[in-house]
Amino acid sequence: MEAPHPRLAALLEGPSLWHGIEYHDEVDSTNDLAAEQARRGAPPGLVVVADHQRAGRGRRGRSWEDAADTAGAGASLLLSCLVALPERAATLAPLAAGLAVHDAVRRAGADPDLKWPNDVLLGERKCAGVLVESLTDLRRLVVGIGVDLDWRGVERGGETADWTSVAEETGAEVERWGFLADLLGSLESWLGDVTTDPSVLLARYRSRCVTVGRRVRVLTPGGALAGTAVDLDRDGSLTVRSEDGTVSVQAGDVEHLA
Ligand code: BTN
């Protein structure tokens, strides 16, 4: 793995939430490794980064692929952050992470949108996802983030066939460690708002989320639901109005319909 960026070193040395970054060439899943480190006593503020995951995990039990074997380590950014939040605020962590990725993608020169809860889209094409897992025994969260930075020349297939990467949209190379520094700086700031003033975070999230106002199909743990996404609750849930009434969805996969 390459030497870390000076901005990352500055972030670690300054008065930041992030106190350590572990770099790996290859792991099963950075989320699993961050959880393991927490169980071994690592405090919140640890970030685990890998060039390649052998068993990267997405939401709803899906796998998360990177393109390190064909496009090299810079194709994707794969990281997991160990954080502690009060239990009542934990539902907002996925939104905070989505906003942080959105910020970093924008700083890289692209024009992203958020699809609830935290898919980052360029046009209607996904370029990043977030998997937040809670370690209930330790009252910690693992915030796992995967960003497709530069998949130019990579052939995609299956359900990611219509996804994209930041460089495919901007036409420019993305400096991975600078992008990570932007992302971590922003994530710290949004996580701060989660505890101090969630209304600031929710207002910013609403302004960037293209799901509210759309016709949607939502796959929830309890089944599928179709309707119009009409609002966000204070806990980050999506309010969906369907023929059967209005439902507050806490977790699910959204498909934007026409
Ligand atoms: C999604 O399904 O959209 C969420 C994808 C999250 C992928 C990231 S990559 C780094 C971290 N480690 C994992 O195994 N998953 C997350």
Side-chain angles (χ1 to χ4, degrees):
M1 191 160 236
E2 312 151 42
H5 195 278
R7 282 179 48 217
L8 283 173
L11 194 73
L12 295 176
E13 280 157 21
S16 153
L17 161 67
W18 314 116
H19 60 76
I21 304 183
E22 265 190 34
Y23 296 95
H24 298 268
D25 293 331
E26 192 173 314
V27 298
D28 284 335
S29 155
T30 55
N31 266 33
D32 292 348
L33 194 52
E36 200 178 305
Q37 298 294 44
R39 297 207 169 88
R40 286 193 194 134
L46 173 72
V47 180
V48 176
V49 182
D51 283 349
H52 171 59
Q53 296 182 123
R54 289 179 293 260
R57 293 186 288 108
R59 294 193 291 124
R60 299 185 62 79
R62 287 182 299 250
S63 61
W64 184 263
E65 308 298 332
D66 56 71
D69 54 344
T70 50
S76 303
L77 179 64
L78 311 163
L79 71 144
S80 298
C81 307
L82 200 54
V83 304
L85 284 177
E87 211 171 315
R88 61 179 168 74
T91 58
L92 292 173
L95 275 58
L99 276 172
V101 181
H102 184 286
D103 285 341
V105 170
R106 203 158 64 165
R107 258 177 245 135
D111 185 16
D113 289 313
L114 282 170
K115 182 174 81 164
W116 186 89
N118 47 32
D119 283 350
V120 179
L121 306 180
L122 292 168
E124 279 290 324
R125 305 169 80 195
K126 177 163 167 169
C127 71
V130 176
L131 175 67
V132 177
E133 296 179 304
S134 76
L135 308 175
T136 36
D137 48 334
L138 298 169
R139 295 176 168 231
R140 305 259 168 85
L141 298 174
V142 174
V143 179
I145 298 174
V147 187
D148 289 358
L149 293 179
D150 191 349
W151 284 51
R152 289 178 293 183
V154 178
E155 231 172 88
R156 291 182 186 264
E159 63 177 296
T160 71
D162 61 348
W163 291 16
T164 190
S165 62
V166 180
E168 280 169 88
E169 303 303 312
T170 61
E173 224 161 89
V174 186
E175 205 290 297
R176 188 162 53 137
W177 304 131
F179 187 99
L180 176 60
D182 286 340
L183 175 49
L184 290 177
S186 200
L187 182 57
E188 176 171 10
S189 158
W190 291 121
L191 287 173
D193 280 355
V194 165
T195 38
T196 55
D197 193 355
S199 65
V200 173
L201 169 116
L202 284 166
R204 182 62 70 86
Y205 185 91
R206 276 194 186 91
S207 74
R208 293 176 173 182
C209 175
V210 289
T211 302
V212 176
R214 296 278 295 259
R215 292 273 312 155
V216 292
R217 184 176 300 120
V218 193
L219 214 52
T220 74
L225 168 77
T228 303
V230 288
D231 200 5
L232 279 181
D233 288 348
R234 274 189 306 183
D235 68 353
S237 302
L238 185 70
T239 312
V240 178
R241 195 163 48 218
S242 74
E243 282 175 0
D244 302 326
T246 299
V247 182
S248 182
V249 180
Q250 280 165 338
D253 251 15
V254 166
E255 186 188 344
H256 290 157
L257 304 174

